[in-house]
Amino acid sequence: MDKLFRGPPRPPSIQEILDALGPPEGFSPQLIHSKTEGTGRSSRAGGTLRFLLVDGGEVHVWTSDYSRVGFAVRHRRKGRSVILYK
């Protein structure tokens, strides 16, 4: 997962993320602030895609237009969260 967000071109497109991780397990029309602290206000034309990882972690990818990544964060099962792109 982390390899997608390293090196050029950066960040990956939404399609590249879908190709690597498959369909998201969840969607919200809001920007998710954190795994435990809720969400922000709704977006008119985008939202947050939630992907569950085999290691028990999660990746949340916010997009404003369903083609580009605006914000991505990886929540590890144990330990801290890591911003992949902002």
Side-chain angles (χ1 to χ4, degrees):
M1 176 67 230
D2 296 332
K3 292 178 188 178
L4 281 173
F5 289 90
R6 291 192 189 130
R10 190 170 182 256
S13 68
I14 296 297
Q15 187 59 54
E16 290 171 318
I17 294 171
L18 292 172
D19 290 344
L21 299 178
E25 281 73 27
F27 171 79
S28 172
Q30 300 168 312
L31 172 62
I32 296 175
H33 290 305
S34 75
K35 189 174 177 181
T36 58
E37 293 180 24
T39 62
R41 59 188 165 98
S42 292
S43 172
R44 291 182 185 208
T48 300
L49 306 171
R50 177 178 174 237
F51 298 92
L52 300 178
L53 304 175
V54 291
D55 66 4
E58 298 180 14
V59 172
H60 297 175
V61 177
W62 181 78
T63 176
S64 62
D65 61 5
Y66 299 104
S67 65
R68 295 178 290 156
V69 173
F71 181 79
V73 63
R74 177 180 181 167
H75 300 288
R76 300 191 187 283
R77 184 169 175 252
K78 293 184 179 179
R80 63 189 172 115
S81 297
V82 176
I83 295 173
L84 299 172
Y85 181 78
K86 73 175 187 174

